[in-house]
Amino acid sequence: GVCAHVSGAESFHPPVENGSGKTDVEGCCWWGRGAIQIRGVCAYGKLNYFLGKRAHDEGRPSMFPDIDFCRDPQAVCSNPNYPDLKWIAGMFRWITEVQTYNRGDYSYMQRLVDFVDGGLQDWTFVHGLSGIVTQGCHEPPCAFGVEFEDGASRKATFIRTLKLLGLSPGKSDGMTHTADGRRLGESSNR
């Protein structure tokens, strides 16, 4: 079985294929490491290929030449020489899997533009984004028996984050505003 994301209970549903059609997780016992969780053998292999020991061994630039993420995935969170590694790994996942997400009629980058241009009001964007990050699809739950937690707490966190960035969602004119009421891009010298 596998561990269900929300409840933590063991699930005995068959594994779900990744984007390459693989269900093989043999030898991989590390799931959910990093600020945006790296999961599965393919993700750790990709991290190792671009940023880890494999990049170094094959003569490419490597941020972490002494870390083999395939042999020691826990290094993402516990390597004392690289305290920021969990954030770098999270950004790596964001860049390689979230920003590039484009399936059917759903393009993350186009939906992001639409969300911003629409005044940060279309909360289906946040729901789709949550599905991409947690389950690999924009319409969660993405597989039979897979849990998806209530979106209310994600939406609240998203709003809090926007406010920390100085943005205020949902003004009536459909424009994105800064915390002091200016439209995004508008000068403070009115």
Side-chain angles (χ1 to χ4, degrees):
V2 294
C3 185
H5 173 68
V6 177
S7 70
E10 191 170 14
S11 169
F12 294 97
H13 295 286
V16 178
E17 291 182 355
N18 68 14
S20 300
K22 287 187 71 168
T23 58
D24 172 16
V25 292
E26 182 178 342
C28 183
C29 59
W30 301 103
W31 295 87
R33 300 291 187 265
I36 301 175
Q37 299 179 345
I38 301 281
R39 296 180 287 213
V41 293
C42 291
Y44 283 104
K46 193 185 309 183
L47 185 65
N48 202 45
Y49 180 87
F50 287 105
L51 300 180
K53 188 172 183 335
R54 181 169 175 194
H56 175 266
D57 291 350
E58 293 179 0
R60 294 186 307 278
S62 171
M63 292 182 73
F64 310 102
D66 55 332
I67 299 177
D68 185 334
F69 293 105
C70 294
R71 294 191 187 277
D72 185 15
Q74 181 62 16
V76 169
C77 291
S78 66
N79 190 301
N81 297 324
Y82 304 107
D84 294 333
L85 179 52
K86 63 181 143 283
W87 294 102
I88 293 168
M91 287 302 298
F92 179 81
R93 178 160 182 242
W94 186 267
I95 291 165
T96 61
E97 295 181 28
V98 178
Q99 282 186 191
T100 60
Y101 185 90
N102 190 357
R103 292 197 187 146
D105 66 345
Y106 193 101
S107 160
Y108 165 77
M109 293 302 287
Q110 185 57 56
R111 294 292 173 107
L112 173 61
V113 168
D114 294 346
F115 181 70
V116 172
D117 288 351
L120 311 178
Q121 297 182 52
D122 180 5
W123 296 108
T124 63
F125 170 73
V126 177
H127 182 76
L129 175 59
S130 295
I132 294 166
V133 170
T134 62
Q135 297 186 4
C137 82
H138 63 278
E139 295 180 310
C142 303
F144 175 75
V146 176
E147 299 175 47
F148 188 70
E149 64 185 46
D150 175 32
S153 66
R154 286 189 190 279
K155 180 180 174 184
T157 299
F158 199 88
I159 290 171
R160 220 173 21 257
T161 303
L162 288 174
K163 288 180 179 178
L164 286 170
L165 294 172
L167 300 172
S168 179
K171 295 279 186 176
S172 60
D173 63 4
M175 299 297 293
T176 304
H177 291 75
T178 61
D180 64 1
R182 291 179 288 122
R183 289 184 184 167
L184 194 59
E186 181 179 67
S187 171
S188 60
N189 303 328
R190 293 187 201 193

